[in-house]
Amino acid sequence: MKRCRLADLVNVARLQRMVDSLYAAGGVSVTILDQEQNILVASGGPDACLRYHQTNPDTCVLCRRSDTGGVPFAEVSSFDGHGEKWKYRCENGLWSMAVSLVARGVRLGTLFLGKFFLAEEEPDMAFFRRQAAMYGFPEKEYLEAIEKVPRCPSEHLDAMLRCYADFVATLVELSLVRMEAAEALEALAESEARYRDLFDTLDQGVVCQNESGEVVTANAAAQRILGFSLAQLQERTPLDSRWHSVREDGSPFPGEEHPAMVALRTGRAVRNVLMGIFNPLEKKHRWFDVNSRPRTRGTEPGEKKAFEVYTTFMDVTERWKVLEALKEKTQEVEQFFLSVLDLLCIVDMEGRFVRLNVEWEYALGYGLDELEGQFFIGFVHPEDVQATLDAMDTLCRHKEILDFVNRYRCRDGSYRWLEWRAFPRGGRIYASARDITVHREMEAALRGSRDRYQFLFEGMLDGFALYEILLDTEGIPRNYRFLEVNPAFERLTGLRRENVLGRTVLEVLPETESYWIEAYGRVALTGEALQCKNYTKALDRWFEVSAFSLGNRQFATIFADVTERERGREEREDLIGELERKNGELERFTYTVSHDLKSPLITIKGFLGLLERDLAAAEQDLIQKDMKRIGEAADRMASLLEDLLELSRVGRVVKPPGYCSMEEVVRRALGNVSGRLAERDVEIGIRPDMGDVYGDTSRLVEVFQNLIDNAVKYMGDQEQPRIEIGRTQRDGETVYYVADNGIGIEPRYRETVFELFNKLEARSEGTGIGLALVKRIVEVHGGRIWVESEGKGKGSFFCLTLPPGPRSGGGEI
Amino acid sequence: MNGTPLTILLVEDNPAHAEIVLRSFKEHKVANRVVWIEDGESALDYLFREGQYANPFDSPTPSVILLDLRLPRVDGLQVLRRIKEHPEVRNIPVVVLATSEAERDMARAYEFRANSYVVKPLEFDDFAKLMSDLGLYWLSWNRRIEAGEWGNTLGDQRNSVSVLFRGAGPEFADDGQ
């Protein structure tokens, strides 16, 4: 009710007639003003007012002033059901009452009742006479008019006023109700039109169905989307099989399960059901997001019964396709996430695992449920925590992390090395890690072994050298190059590392024999290892060398200086040889002695037996012969013993050796056998320039004496016996010789002639010790003796060597 | 005895020992022909009929050989080996007559198929007994192939000489001749 004017609310003419009628019936006059103080309705009024007070300008002013609230002494009070109520006497001496008209809290105007006199008081006639005089009214007529002013009892005044006010208020109320109803109707029509528009212009399909599921109405979109007119739709219920509804997975969508039917059945809304519906115009399924909301009746919540259902649906075919594609993509990514061998994870910014792939289970032994939601830092090795937090910091600053390595604790408490790549994106950290534990361990092992080998390389006593074999165009090894040598190599060879590295062996050691290059070439090319001992003349040292291939045409040698060992071995071998020789000699000596000394004993004993018999038979001749045999045997035994003594003396009794002239030695020897030489008339030839020898002079004299004696003894039938003594050079050695032109010696006896008591001729004189003695003396001096002869009758050529100076080792037995 | 004169070949370099052997045979009347040769080389010449022994009548094949080991030039073991290597003479029994009991000699002698190895006793009685037993055993008791590969070359038709010294030294020139 805005700006509603009283005049619009009541029929003014009819109201006027009604108050006129009431006035005429002897009532009190009524006047109604609107808010703007315009008189809407006014019924007559006393002549005093109409003919005198209101016609005179002066008194009219007083009327106006009194009626518009200017009466200071008015009684004002509230009036139940209406506005304020006034009761006042106007300045012209007459009474009035007024009430403000209020509807819905709005003041619409004022209703006046009067003028009148109060029935219980006498009018002040004196006053009116003065009035008449003052304003020029004819007194008589005026006073008569005063007399005619109605007189109202005070007690009736409120009822009258209420009657009039209520009447007007009722009229106003009626008008207001009528007006409001019209307004409401207008608004409703407008709203309905708006909703109809919305319904028809909506993109979503809307279908309303009654409780049987029959279509009541459907909007244009629904008709378009479904491909049916409203009339066609109304033929079908959701149970109709012609819908060909399918579920997301392609299975049929039963009519009873249609959201509308479910909503009707349960009385509850069904939301977001994906449904495929066959569109007969397009001849294919379209996908819909379907929502059904029932309208229910009934007061109790449990007893609400659906009587109608609104179903809205939206074509999501395109969106569904996109979703399908997205799902497929997601599955692909998921598959990838699952099947990749690296450890993948997504971590939130607080450092909690959000997702991990299954590789984590294999790598660390935890179940994924044990990791998801956990702070990853709790699994990091304590020593790596700080570095890991730093890396996390970098990620939080939206920078990626590459090749970060830390250790993660496994379920069994061991740690694995992980190498990380991680980047932050949209409040998450995407990270992939690779288990590099094996690499780390291998690396560590390699480093360890490298250190150990370095230590070994530097510290080993054996020389080590690494080479590269150099081949010619035909692949034949021609040279090799030094790649690396160790300190022991430098020490053992005297070659400096800086002088050999990068150079070839033929540059460093030009005299290297080609067979070494061949041998090392074989090692490098075939992989066959080589072990040998090598004497290096330049260094006068023995090396034991192992060579082995390192592949790629490289080979290495490890060598040790075995000179001392070799020398020791040589010495030992010499000693063993000498011992063996002496042992053999001793054995032969023992054998010879046991045989040769026993032999005369047999003779002696044998002939003693014979002598006994011959004495018994008194055979004088035989007795003589027996005794002679016994004597000879005894003599032989004596000389054998003497010779043995002599022989042993040669080894034991040694005079201090010294240098002496060989010519002198020979001359003394010849002197000792001069008788025999003269007897046989032997011609002696002595070669000049025989130089000096080193040894025991008298023993050397004995040697030559025996050799000359031997030569004479075996001169045979030679008519011009001749002995030549001299010195010659053979194979860089000085050889002294005693040559004769006697019977000579067959090759097979060349060794046996020097044996003890071994005579070529059983009957030749002597025990057969001569040459054995000679051999012994020569050997004791460190020399050798042998005999050469072209055979029987061709003469003999006895040769001997003597060391030029003092021997290092002892030659004594 | 079966009446066939048998030859014993004695190879011995020591004349005194040879004399002891001969006189032992004499004492025990081992009435056979003994050929004494002083060195190994000559012994082989004799057996293979070479040089001065080329005539089979002068050098009859022996029935037994008494072989000293210590001989000049070619020693006894070499002689033994040569005999046993040679098909024509290897069936002749060889008795090694050694001076010492050296094991090495004995082992080698048997290795070279010596038929017997005896050591010369010191006492003459023992010596004589040994020679007698040897003669008795090898010439009487021991059975051997009479006429085989060597039967036709036997020069034992001649039985006039009981003891023959051949190549002997001057001391024995008069003995038995």
Side-chain angles (χ1 to χ4, degrees):
Chain A
M1 210 188 91
K2 45 201 168 163
R3 261 186 229 246
C4 224
R5 288 173 37 198
L6 192 56
D8 299 329
L9 298 174
V10 295
N11 189 331
V12 174
R14 184 144 322 158
L15 192 59
Q16 183 63 48
R17 220 167 33 239
M18 190 191 83
V19 296
D20 282 347
S21 302
L22 281 170
Y23 182 71
V28 182
S29 68
V30 172
T31 307
I32 297 171
L33 306 179
D34 66 10
Q35 293 104 304
E36 283 92 32
Q37 307 292 342
N38 301 311
I39 295 169
L40 290 184
V41 174
S43 63
D47 286 341
C49 295
L50 300 173
R51 286 172 67 181
Y52 302 102
H53 296 153
Q54 288 175 11
T55 52
N56 181 293
D58 294 332
T59 53
C60 189
V61 169
L62 294 176
C63 281
R64 288 271 173 204
R65 196 163 69 189
S66 301
D67 291 343
T68 53
V71 186
F73 41 84
E75 281 175 47
V76 181
S77 59
S78 64
F79 196 53
D80 180 35
H82 302 278
E84 289 163 321
K85 179 189 81 173
W86 295 272
K87 186 182 174 188
Y88 62 92
R89 188 177 0 215
C90 76
E91 287 174 68
N92 290 319
L94 300 176
W95 287 87
S96 289
M97 285 187 83
V99 66
S100 57
L101 297 169
V102 176
R104 312 264 164 99
V106 175
R107 187 188 167 106
L108 294 170
T110 314
L111 184 146
F112 288 90
L113 195 63
K115 305 295 188 197
F116 53 84
F117 286 120
L118 293 175
E120 58 268 20
E121 65 176 16
E122 272 304 310
D124 184 358
M125 292 315 282
F127 170 75
F128 290 111
R129 273 185 209 103
R130 277 195 309 270
Q131 262 311 74
M134 193 182 299
Y135 296 109
F137 302 143
E139 194 179 277
K140 191 187 165 202
E141 287 91 354
Y142 178 68
L143 289 177
E144 280 172 8
I146 292 295
E147 280 295 325
K148 284 180 189 172
V149 170
R151 298 188 182 204
C152 293
S154 282
E155 62 266 25
H156 293 163
L157 285 173
D158 272 1
M160 275 172 21
L161 187 64
R162 179 171 298 276
C163 178
Y164 284 109
D166 280 353
F167 183 69
V168 174
T170 303
L171 288 176
V172 167
E173 184 64 39
L174 275 171
S175 282
L176 281 175
V177 165
R178 205 186 62 236
M179 273 169 61
E180 277 167 4
E183 273 174 16
L185 266 175
E186 199 182 329
L188 189 66
E190 199 179 327
S191 159
E192 201 202 331
R194 204 180 295 128
Y195 278 109
R196 171 58 61 182
D197 270 358
L198 182 67
F199 185 69
D200 281 336
T201 57
L202 206 57
D203 250 1
Q204 284 196 8
V206 183
V207 174
C208 174
Q209 288 154 287
N210 64 15
E211 55 193 320
S212 320
E214 291 157 354
V215 173
V216 177
T217 186
N219 71 350
Q223 297 172 40
R224 190 186 68 244
I225 290 168
L226 298 174
F228 293 107
S229 69
L230 180 59
Q232 286 171 318
L233 287 172
Q234 283 172 334
E235 283 176 20
R236 297 186 177 188
T237 66
L239 299 176
D240 200 308
S241 63
R242 285 174 292 178
W243 289 114
H244 298 296
S245 306
V246 290
R247 289 187 193 276
E248 196 177 353
D249 60 5
S251 62
F253 207 127
E256 310 82 59
E257 298 298 319
H258 189 286
M261 299 311 279
V262 173
L264 282 171
R265 202 160 57 237
T266 62
R268 276 196 286 273
V270 180
R271 297 176 203 281
N272 297 323
V273 175
L274 187 69
M275 183 187 273
I277 294 172
F278 188 75
N279 185 312
L281 299 177
E282 297 179 6
K283 302 212 186 309
K284 64 181 182 190
H285 277 91
R286 295 196 73 86
W287 293 94
F288 298 96
D289 179 28
V290 182
N291 287 274
S292 289
R293 175 184 283 274
R295 296 186 69 207
T296 56
R297 266 196 289 256
T299 44
E300 295 301 313
E303 290 177 6
K304 276 188 177 173
K305 189 159 167 53
F307 65 94
E308 208 172 56
V309 62
Y310 280 92
T311 299
T312 61
F313 49 90
M314 199 191 295
D315 188 339
V316 293
T317 307
E318 295 310 314
R319 207 172 72 193
W320 195 75
K321 277 184 191 164
V322 171
L323 275 172
E324 278 295 297
L326 190 67
K327 207 155 81 183
E328 209 170 296
K329 247 313 159 276
T330 309
Q331 273 173 357
E332 267 176 29
V333 172
E334 184 75 1
Q335 202 55 44
F336 199 60
F337 191 74
L338 287 176
S339 60
V340 76
L341 290 173
D342 283 349
L343 305 170
L344 302 179
C345 66
I346 303 170
V347 173
D348 65 21
M349 280 309 189
E350 278 77 53
R352 268 186 296 251
F353 285 122
V354 176
R355 269 211 71 186
L356 306 100
N357 68 344
V358 77
E359 277 304 310
W360 284 83
E361 294 194 349
Y362 306 137
L364 301 186
Y366 298 103
L368 288 183
D369 50 344
E370 288 175 279
L371 295 170
E372 272 165 2
Q374 299 295 313
F375 287 98
F376 70 78
I377 202 75
F379 296 92
V380 173
H381 191 286
E383 290 171 13
D384 298 340
V385 164
Q386 193 50 52
T388 306
L389 290 175
D390 292 347
M392 186 67 185
D393 228 39
T394 306
L395 287 165
C396 288
R397 290 199 306 273
H398 304 290
K399 287 181 189 157
E400 61 179 16
I401 285 283
L402 288 179
D403 306 330
F404 173 72
V405 174
N406 63 5
R407 281 165 287 178
Y408 264 65
R409 191 179 61 251
C410 299
R411 202 167 204 281
D412 63 10
S414 64
Y415 284 90
R416 308 292 295 176
W417 287 93
L418 302 182
E419 185 180 72
W420 290 92
R421 285 172 173 231
F423 61 91
R425 195 75 91 237
R428 292 277 166 97
I429 291 163
Y430 296 85
S432 76
R434 188 159 291 182
D435 186 341
I436 55 163
T437 309
V438 175
H439 294 96
R440 290 293 281 228
E441 283 168 357
M442 254 163 65
E443 219 172 81
L446 269 176
R447 204 178 307 117
S449 74
R450 201 189 57 207
D451 291 349
R452 277 198 297 283
Y453 281 111
Q454 187 68 30
F455 181 73
L456 187 67
F457 184 75
E458 302 287 350
M460 66 197 276
L461 293 172
D462 288 351
F464 177 92
L466 177 66
Y467 305 99
E468 177 192 19
I469 196 82
L470 300 174
L471 309 175
D472 64 12
T473 50
E474 283 164 20
I476 295 169
R478 292 297 183 205
N479 204 345
Y480 48 87
R481 190 192 307 284
F482 289 89
L483 298 179
E484 187 55 276
V485 299
N486 72 344
F489 174 95
E490 296 182 294
R491 198 174 57 244
L492 291 174
T493 62
L495 297 168
R496 304 286 303 163
R497 183 169 179 273
E498 58 267 28
N499 295 338
V500 300
L501 287 201
R503 300 180 67 197
T504 69
V505 72
L506 291 178
E507 283 167 3
V508 177
L509 303 165
E511 73 276 19
T512 301
E513 294 91 343
S514 63
Y515 65 81
W516 285 114
I517 297 173
E518 276 167 36
Y520 287 148
R522 206 158 40 244
V523 169
L525 299 179
T526 66
E528 209 173 283
L530 171 76
Q531 277 194 321
C532 61
K533 229 176 288 168
N534 177 13
Y535 177 71
T536 308
K537 204 162 185 181
L539 300 167
D540 183 29
R541 301 208 74 84
W542 283 90
F543 292 110
E544 197 168 68
V545 184
S546 294
F548 49 91
S549 165
L550 296 176
N552 204 19
R553 293 190 180 172
Q554 291 187 4
F555 66 98
T557 60
I558 294 179
F559 57 94
D561 185 341
V562 292
T563 309
E564 296 311 316
R565 205 175 76 194
E566 277 306 301
R567 300 239 160 102
R569 194 174 61 81
E570 276 173 12
E571 237 164 64
R572 209 164 51 244
E573 274 171 10
D574 284 355
L575 277 174
I576 289 170
E578 199 171 327
L579 262 178
E580 276 171 355
R581 207 168 56 245
K582 284 191 170 154
N583 208 34
E585 209 170 83
L586 192 67
E587 206 175 302
R588 277 198 302 281
F589 181 79
T590 311
Y591 169 77
T592 307
V593 166
S594 72
H595 183 279
D596 290 300
L597 285 181
K598 199 183 169 191
S599 192
L601 267 180
I602 292 168
T603 306
I604 291 166
K605 291 285 278 182
F607 276 95
L608 275 173
L610 287 169
L611 183 61
E612 217 174 303
R613 281 164 178 72
D614 293 340
L615 281 172
E619 294 265 14
Q620 281 304 318
D621 288 356
L622 288 177
I623 290 167
Q624 287 301 315
K625 268 168 76 182
D626 292 344
M627 290 182 66
K628 191 179 165 223
R629 288 278 183 211
I630 291 168
E632 281 170 358
D635 289 349
R636 180 168 169 77
M637 200 155 180
S639 63
L640 280 172
L641 285 172
E642 204 174 302
D643 288 351
L644 282 174
L645 206 60
E646 175 66 12
L647 192 66
S648 75
R649 203 179 285 131
V650 168
R652 276 192 295 108
V653 185
V654 178
K655 285 182 200 142
Y659 288 97
C660 57
S661 154
M662 185 50 111
E663 202 170 323
E664 173 62 22
V665 170
V666 171
R667 295 232 172 269
R668 277 172 59 183
L670 286 168
N672 290 350
V673 291
S674 55
R676 196 184 284 272
L677 290 170
E679 189 182 307
R680 201 59 181 80
D681 194 18
V682 179
E683 186 191 345
I684 301 292
I686 303 174
R687 289 291 191 176
D689 307 328
M690 286 196 291
D692 289 349
V693 288
Y694 181 84
D696 179 344
T697 313
S698 54
R699 287 294 177 201
L700 292 175
V701 169
E702 234 175 297
V703 166
F704 282 90
Q705 184 183 322
N706 267 290
L707 287 175
I708 294 163
D709 191 39
N710 198 65
V712 176
K713 208 185 284 176
Y714 294 96
M715 202 48 88
D717 302 331
Q718 180 58 254
E719 284 174 9
Q720 292 177 312
R722 181 180 164 75
I723 296 173
E724 191 177 296
I725 302 159
R727 185 181 76 159
T728 179
Q729 289 295 119
R730 206 184 276 185
D731 298 332
E733 247 183 332
T734 302
V735 176
Y736 301 97
Y737 62 87
V738 175
D740 65 60
N741 56 355
I743 59 174
I745 295 170
E746 286 176 69
R748 52 184 166 161
Y749 303 127
R750 280 181 201 161
E751 293 296 323
T752 52
V753 291
F754 293 104
E755 284 177 11
L756 183 61
F757 305 137
N758 204 339
K759 298 187 289 184
L760 289 182
E761 299 294 330
R763 293 181 184 282
S764 59
E765 55 192 297
T767 58
I769 198 163
L771 289 179
L773 196 65
V774 164
K775 184 171 192 258
R776 184 149 186 84
I777 293 168
V778 170
E779 285 177 354
V780 164
H781 276 79
R784 290 178 294 119
I785 184 162
W786 69 97
V787 63
E788 295 171 6
S789 175
E790 288 179 13
K792 214 169 178 177
K794 301 279 177 69
S796 301
F797 195 75
F798 281 86
C799 302
L800 65 95
T801 64
L802 290 169
R807 284 215 293 167
S808 55
E812 298 85 345
I813 293 174
Chain B
M1 305 303 143
N2 57 10
T4 313
L6 299 172
T7 303
I8 294 174
L9 177 63
L10 171 65
V11 187
E12 172 62 76
D13 70 325
N14 188 326
H17 289 192
E19 195 179 340
I20 295 169
V21 171
L22 293 173
R23 287 188 63 174
S24 295
F25 281 144
K26 206 176 197 175
E27 175 135 339
H28 286 276
K29 301 188 169 42
V30 180
N32 273 294
R33 187 174 163 187
V34 179
V35 177
W36 173 37
I37 290 175
E38 280 184 275
D39 64 273
E41 205 173 57
S42 303
L44 290 172
D45 282 352
Y46 178 92
L47 284 169
F48 297 116
R49 299 210 171 99
E50 280 172 7
Q52 58 174 316
Y53 305 107
N55 186 347
F57 292 101
D58 294 336
S59 47
T61 300
S63 298
V64 64
I65 299 166
L66 297 182
L67 181 65
D68 186 18
L69 284 184
R70 190 133 167 98
L71 298 170
R73 295 172 176 273
V74 181
D75 79 13
L77 285 170
Q78 292 305 314
V79 174
L80 174 63
R81 193 170 60 83
R82 294 280 300 281
I83 292 169
K84 292 302 180 184
E85 273 172 3
H86 210 285
E88 279 187 27
V89 295
R90 69 174 167 213
N91 284 339
I92 304 170
V94 176
V95 176
V96 171
L97 209 54
T99 307
S100 73
E101 249 175 293
E103 271 177 39
R104 195 185 60 176
D105 283 350
M106 210 188 298
R108 297 199 67 198
Y110 282 118
E111 191 187 319
F112 293 146
R113 314 244 172 105
N115 297 73
S116 188
Y117 187 99
V118 298
V119 179
K120 296 169 185 169
L122 278 180
E123 300 301 327
F124 176 75
D125 286 346
D126 298 337
F127 206 118
K129 178 77 167 44
L130 173 66
M131 291 301 123
S132 156
D133 290 348
L134 280 175
L136 199 65
Y137 176 77
W138 288 109
L139 301 176
S140 305
W141 295 115
N142 192 43
R143 290 292 136 212
R144 62 190 188 280
I145 298 163
E146 281 300 332
E149 49 204 291
W150 50 310
N152 55 352
T153 60
L154 280 176
D156 53 6
Q157 293 94 330
R158 300 193 333 171
N159 55 4
S160 58
V161 184
S162 60
V163 177
L164 176 70
F165 293 123
R166 216 178 257 272
E171 292 93 330
F172 295 87
D174 55 344
D175 198 304
Q177 284 195 345

